[in-house]
Amino acid sequence: MADVAVHTDHAAPDGHAAVGHAAMHTTIPGLSNNKLGMWLFLGSDCLLFGGLISVYMLYRGRNGTGPGPDALWDIPLTSVSSFVLLMSSLTMVLAVSAAHRDEDAKAQTWLSVTALLGSTFVGAQVYEFTSFYHEGLGYTTSLFSSSFYSLTGFHGVHVTVGVIMLLTLVAMVSKNKIPGQKAEAIEMVGLYWHFVDVVWIVIFTLVYLIPT
Amino acid sequence: MAIIERPSATPATAGAGAPTFVPPSQAMGIFHRPVATTGWKSWLFTVDHKKIGIMYGVAAFAFFLVGGLEALLIRTQLAAPDNTVLSAGLYNQMFTMHGTTMIFLFVMPMISALANYFIPLQIGARDVAFPRFNALSFWCFLFGGIFLNTSWFLGGAADGGWFMYQPNASNLFSPSHGVDFWALGVQITGIASLTGAINLIVTIINMRAPGMTLWKMPMYTWMILVTQFLLVFAVPVISVALFLLTFQRSFGGQFFNVDAGADPLLWQHLFWIFGHPEVYILIMPSFGIASEIIPVFSRKPLFGYKVMALSGAVIAFVGFGVWAHHMFASGLGPVSVAVFSASTMIIAIPTGVKIINWTLTMWGGKIRYTAAMIFILGMIVQFVIGGLSGVTHAVSPSDTQQTDTYYIVAHFHYVIFGGAVFGIFAAFYFWWPKMFGRMLDERLGKWNFWLMAIGMNLTFGPMHMIGLQGQPRRMVVWPSKLTGDGLFNLGFWNRVASVGSYMIGIGVIVFLVNIYRTHRKSNTASLAPLDPWDARSLEWMTANPPKDHNFDAIPTVHELDEFFHRKYEEVDTEHGPKLVKTTTAEALLAEQEANADEHIHMPSPSYWPILLAFTLPVISYGIIFSIPLAALGGALLLVCAFGWALEPSTAPESDFDPPAEAGPSKELEHVG
């Protein structure tokens, strides 16, 4: 979201931009620089999570003398927090849609709700980690614990960064200080947010639902 | 942030009065953007792709000298039996840091240097897609490299080899902080590579001049595009591996703890899933450079242009499916070995296609043996030798004999030094006049080439023999009783290799002398004409060196090799059609100047890239020495991220042609 800058280059009616405007359309695809950059970053991030998930799948059964997954998982709790995170994708869509219709107040509301849902998820994860720790699953306990905390921890950091970006957006929209296209800035954070949600679906399935 | 066509004050251009639009200079920010155009501030805070390219080049070359000195120390140690120049511990650090420096701190950033400078010029753009991220890439690379090298003074450098196999590089076997520095330093340069890759891909896809379809892009641009895709998908894998390594060494993670039941092959897989695409990341840009230089100096278009581009893409794609050929000796099992053996051999096909196409480009051409051209010819010959020994590794039974011997060292130096680095030196000679307006001396250039080429073959050629004789890699000494006699005399060939390495060193010194002599003020003979090589692509349709905004008017592209086709026209003669030069580069440039675009607004410099990059080594030192310092670094990182995001996207003062009545404001004087 850092570089939500002016994107009027080729659309500006003055200067050189008008020259060869038609030719531009034949050679340049429709995605803006920011969006294309975000898609590439997310593609790259897939490989990051791919690596972490592979490590977890390799080590999920290797809990040594420490507690194993089956003894720890609280499926109802994690299901509820997963549901909360998935619902935040819906509110994110509503925020982007409101932004496209220039309804700032609505966009702010939905962004705030998304941030709240995301924080709830992170809160549940902190609670979950704490209770696992009290049940004897430290970071250094076993191969399983190290890889579990690393994978879900990386995801939790992603969600937290997303929440910070959402709250920043709310503040920037309220001060009307987003340079360039406001809706695109919100959509960019939205892309990131949906990605983080989709990754969680994979993690929830592989880590929690498939028995060891 | 693209090239900013900053909207003027009139509402008509401000997004047609759309309610969502805020003029960029009114967005909130903590600092105003800097505007200095001269002096050190103009370099520190620049977002100009050319300045960043030059800084990348200078820094990478400095690391090349460091890595080269490390190599010379290694060869000095191995020049005589049972030598004691380096202790075993220091020797381990030396070869680890030699490999790490040459790959992560020389070849990769030097590729970034050239790509940064020439990709926007080749595609007819005025800058890259994200100029601030471009600056961030450079500063991450520089700070990461410096951070990595400070380990020499803080308890010793990493000593596990550039591949840092586990559990050999765990705290138990490598108790110094070297590996910690290595993991975090390479992580930081990884951030540089990733942001740089995203930046260049978006630039190439979105910012080509009108009319430049994918099939009209110069081959160098094609190869850089392919390389950056490799980076986008290879870098995150090494990031995971490095995170695991840091977590294991600093926070007690268990990932590679064999006592706890860890799988030692995990590291090898993660490392080589990155590591094998990495070797194509190193060589592919030099393939692109060869495809630019050979047509120019053969006076023929590139043979099989589309096949060239596609074979590059095929190499990249298949390159993701061959990593386990680095692990044939680790007991993967016959099925894996067979599959990876076959996929590795397949890569030889598109690579061979490239070699053949270069040869056919030269075939029947009017070849000019300039320094750039002979570097490329050397590169092709040496790369073929390295490629052939590479195919012998693909055959797994043969590889099992060669693993961990000098034969492997010979192979990868032929492809990386003989291939990638010779391509980079060719690019220096070819593009120097464009970057600095001066021509490097051709005579010294040829000295440079022959010293490096003969030195390189003397150094690495004999390693094939001593490797097949069984001399293992990474050993600090070879004992005199194993010297042997006759042709396979271990002692003799080790000395030859050491002599060769000094010749390479002298070759590099000749290059430095060449730079010095070229740039002496009194040397007016080195001033470059506008189009010294009678070149073909758009970067030559700019001033020497290019103006800040590259092109006075963005050219509309009609042909592959647009610049060449603007200079030459086909005329029918009695001997058939013939190309005749109808105009000069000077005339084309004058025409462009006459039709210059009005209101060219370049992106403003920024404080934030260098500040943000600086927080990363702070965090890294903190992880190694003191967690509160890491927390402080993290907090600073967050501050910088906000400063970056909230920065006004332009400074009103930095217009290319400020309105006459406005003039430079007080702020400009104050800041600049």
Side-chain angles (χ1 to χ4, degrees):
Chain A
M1 73 160 264
D3 250 355
V4 282
V6 212
H7 259 288
T8 52
D9 357 3
H10 302 313
D14 66 339
H16 81 283
V19 182
H21 191 70
M24 214 52 124
H25 280 294
T26 61
T27 50
I28 307 300
L31 280 178
S32 77
N33 287 357
N34 288 335
K35 231 183 259 182
L36 186 57
M38 182 54 101
W39 277 112
L40 287 165
F41 167 72
L42 296 180
S44 179
D45 227 19
C46 282
L47 273 284
L48 184 96
F49 279 107
L52 288 165
I53 289 171
S54 307
V55 174
Y56 175 79
M57 294 308 282
L58 180 67
Y59 287 157
R60 63 203 288 258
R62 304 191 191 178
N63 49 301
T65 54
D70 301 330
L72 292 164
W73 296 161
D74 182 356
I75 297 294
L77 172 80
T78 316
S79 302
V80 170
S81 74
S82 303
F83 179 75
V84 167
L85 190 66
L86 292 189
M87 284 305 103
S88 75
S89 258
L90 175 66
T91 55
M92 190 72 229
V93 170
L94 293 171
V96 173
S97 144
H100 277 300
R101 282 178 279 115
D102 290 322
E103 295 172 355
D104 279 6
K106 261 193 191 168
Q108 272 179 293
T109 311
W110 287 122
L111 286 172
S112 308
V113 174
T114 311
L116 184 71
L117 293 174
S119 316
T120 311
F121 173 83
V122 175
Q125 196 173 37
V126 170
Y127 169 78
E128 190 186 34
F129 280 13
T130 317
S131 64
F132 288 169
Y133 183 75
H134 288 304
E135 287 171 57
L137 192 78
Y139 185 71
T140 60
T141 305
S142 62
L143 287 164
F144 155 70
S145 77
S146 292
S147 48
F148 168 76
Y149 282 126
S150 298
L151 170 59
T152 49
F154 259 93
H155 182 265
V157 169
H158 272 75
V159 178
T160 311
V161 170
V163 169
I164 294 173
M165 292 202 290
L166 288 168
L167 294 176
T168 311
L169 271 185
V170 173
M172 287 174 85
V173 172
S174 75
K175 300 206 164 184
N176 197 25
K177 287 291 190 186
I178 295 183
Q181 303 296 320
K182 200 182 295 175
E184 193 189 57
I186 294 174
E187 204 180 332
M188 298 270 290
V189 178
L191 280 177
Y192 174 87
W193 192 259
H194 295 314
F195 168 78
V196 171
D197 282 5
V198 169
V199 169
W200 182 254
I201 295 176
V202 177
I203 294 177
F204 183 59
T205 312
L206 291 178
V207 175
Y208 291 88
L209 295 186
I210 298 179
T212 42
Chain B
M1 191 173 57
I3 301 308
I4 292 176
E5 281 294 329
R6 191 167 61 83
S8 65
T10 56
T13 53
T20 55
F21 194 88
V22 179
S25 59
Q26 289 169 28
M28 56 187 159
I30 296 174
F31 293 149
H32 279 279
R33 293 184 76 136
V35 291
T37 52
T38 54
W40 57 272
K41 281 183 188 164
S42 73
W43 290 88
L44 241 43
F45 307 127
T46 189
V47 295
D48 175 45
H49 73 98
K50 297 182 290 299
K51 280 185 172 164
I52 292 170
I54 289 171
M55 289 196 292
Y56 250 122
V58 170
F61 205 85
F63 283 120
F64 176 55
L65 298 179
V66 172
L69 280 177
E70 286 158 0
L72 291 182
L73 282 170
I74 292 172
R75 276 322 313 173
T76 308
Q77 163 69 18
L78 295 178
D82 301 309
N83 213 350
T84 53
V85 176
L86 297 172
S87 68
L90 206 51
Y91 183 84
N92 288 349
Q93 297 173 30
M94 215 51 86
F95 73 70
T96 302
M97 291 298 281
H98 165 70
T100 306
T101 304
M102 287 305 195
I103 289 168
F104 293 107
L105 306 181
F106 167 54
V107 177
M108 287 175 77
M110 195 53 93
I111 290 164
S112 300
L114 295 167
N116 244 304
Y117 202 100
F118 288 104
I119 289 300
L121 291 171
Q122 279 206 327
I123 63 172
R126 290 198 164 116
D127 208 320
V128 293
F130 306 105
R132 289 188 298 174
F133 274 115
N134 204 16
L136 178 72
S137 299
F138 167 70
W139 293 112
C140 282
F141 143 65
L142 182 64
F143 292 149
I146 293 172
F147 170 80
L148 191 53
N149 275 285
T150 56
S151 61
W152 286 109
F153 313 106
L154 294 168
D159 55 3
W162 86 282
F163 39 84
M164 214 55 74
Y165 271 10
Q166 302 296 330
N168 183 46
S170 62
N171 300 47
L172 181 63
F173 303 109
S174 182
S176 82
H177 281 307
V179 178
D180 302 325
F181 274 99
W182 183 86
L184 291 161
V186 174
Q187 189 78 278
I188 297 174
T189 61
I191 296 171
S193 300
L194 188 60
T195 47
I198 292 175
N199 207 344
L200 282 172
I201 294 176
V202 175
T203 306
I204 293 172
I205 291 183
N206 265 4
M207 296 175 69
R208 281 165 285 134
M212 183 178 276
T213 57
L214 286 177
W215 290 128
K216 291 196 176 81
M217 292 197 313
M219 191 50 60
Y220 177 68
T221 305
W222 257 111
M223 290 302 110
I224 290 294
L225 180 65
V226 168
T227 309
Q228 306 309 313
F229 269 106
L230 281 171
L231 277 169
V232 162
F233 296 113
V235 167
V237 183
I238 188 75
S239 296
V240 170
L242 295 170
F243 275 128
L244 300 186
L245 182 56
T246 300
F247 291 166
Q248 155 131 346
R249 291 185 56 104
S250 300
F251 306 124
Q254 297 291 310
F255 309 101
F256 310 113
N257 181 358
V258 181
D259 287 342
D263 195 333
L265 285 192
L266 171 65
W267 171 270
Q268 298 189 21
H269 279 294
L270 288 177
F271 186 83
W272 289 117
I273 289 173
F274 153 81
H276 201 81
E278 169 72 14
V279 306
Y280 295 109
I281 291 163
L282 299 177
I283 189 65
M284 210 84 88
S286 287
F287 285 177
I289 291 164
S291 305
E292 294 295 309
I293 288 178
I294 290 173
V296 168
F297 294 117
S298 306
R299 310 259 294 152
K300 278 178 69 189
L302 184 64
F303 184 89
Y305 167 84
K306 286 191 182 180
V307 177
M308 274 308 232
L310 287 175
S311 59
V314 169
I315 292 173
F317 187 76
V318 183
F320 268 104
V322 301
W323 78 88
H325 66 214
H326 295 265
M327 303 160 60
F328 280 159
S330 66
L332 288 173
V335 176
S336 303
V337 168
V339 168
F340 282 102
S341 210
S343 64
T344 305
M345 289 181 210
I346 287 173
I347 287 220
I349 297 171
T351 315
V353 165
K354 283 188 167 290
I355 308 279
I356 287 170
N357 281 359
W358 288 326
T359 314
L360 290 178
T361 307
M362 287 184 268
W363 190 268
K366 285 184 193 158
I367 299 180
R368 285 177 286 165
Y369 292 98
T370 59
M373 185 66 174
I374 57 175
F375 262 106
I376 286 299
L377 293 175
M379 170 197 147
I380 294 175
V381 172
Q382 287 160 178
F383 184 81
V384 167
I385 296 173
L388 288 176
S389 62
V391 176
T392 67
H393 305 320
V395 183
S396 61
S398 143
D399 181 76
T400 320
Q401 292 297 312
Q402 297 151 3
T403 294
D404 283 337
T405 70
Y406 265 89
Y407 189 87
I408 304 283
V409 182
H411 159 70
F412 66 69
H413 280 94
Y414 263 89
V415 287
I416 295 180
F417 188 67
V421 178
F422 271 59
I424 286 170
F425 269 79
F428 289 157
Y429 282 93
F430 183 61
W431 276 324
W432 205 270
K434 180 49 56 193
M435 292 171 84
F436 301 106
R438 282 172 182 265
M439 311 268 290
L440 287 171
D441 185 67
E442 282 287 309
R443 205 170 51 87
L444 279 177
K446 282 169 190 168
W447 273 99
N448 179 6
F449 168 75
W450 285 110
L451 281 166
M452 272 174 62
I454 296 172
M456 125 103 216
N457 285 285
L458 283 182
T459 310
F460 304 112
M463 289 185 186
H464 290 108
M465 279 190 274
I466 58 179
L468 288 180
Q469 284 295 87
Q471 182 174 344
R473 297 167 70 178
R474 304 188 280 268
M475 290 300 289
V476 60
V477 290
W478 48 274
S480 57
K481 63 177 179 197
L482 292 181
T483 302
D485 48 23
L487 180 61
F488 299 116
N489 184 326
L490 213 69
F492 174 71
W493 289 119
N494 266 300
R495 269 180 219 116
V496 169
S498 295
V499 169
S501 69
Y502 294 124
M503 273 184 81
I504 298 174
I506 295 169
V508 174
I509 291 172
V510 168
F511 177 67
L512 291 172
V513 169
N514 198 350
I515 296 177
Y516 170 74
R517 287 177 50 145
T518 301
H519 285 272
R520 270 184 315 184
K521 282 222 169 63
S522 57
N523 186 353
T524 49
S526 73
L527 288 172
L530 201 54
D531 182 21
W533 315 121
D534 200 6
R536 311 179 74 87
S537 42
L538 278 186
E539 75 266 29
W540 297 96
M541 226 167 89
T542 57
N544 264 358
K547 297 176 179 178
D548 279 347
H549 54 277
N550 295 353
F551 297 91
D552 283 323
I554 299 289
T556 301
V557 175
H558 303 284
E559 308 269 358
L560 175 66
D561 296 335
E562 174 72 16
F563 182 49
F564 185 84
H565 284 280
R566 289 198 185 195
K567 288 185 292 187
Y568 284 83
E569 265 172 37
E570 204 169 67
V571 179
D572 284 321
T573 66
E574 51 197 275
H575 305 296
K578 197 183 167 202
L579 283 171
V580 178
K581 194 166 186 175
T582 53
T583 182
T584 60
E586 284 79 4
L588 286 171
L589 204 63
E591 184 193 327
Q592 202 193 117
E593 247 166 32
N595 299 313
D597 294 334
E598 289 173 24
H599 306 298
I600 302 170
H601 299 286
M602 296 306 293
S604 305
S606 171
Y607 296 111
W608 295 108
I610 185 171
L611 291 176
L612 199 151
F614 185 72
T615 64
L616 297 173
V618 174
I619 295 173
S620 304
Y621 280 119
I623 290 175
I624 296 175
F625 295 113
S626 136
I627 291 300
L629 182 64
L632 175 70
L636 288 175
L637 175 70
L638 199 63
V639 170
C640 289
F642 272 103
W644 178 307
L646 301 179
E647 184 175 52
S649 56
T650 182
E653 293 84 0
S654 64
D655 292 358
F656 172 65
D657 50 352
E661 68 276 13
S665 71
K666 276 179 188 163
E667 215 162 13
L668 178 67
E669 290 158 15
H670 178 67
V671 181

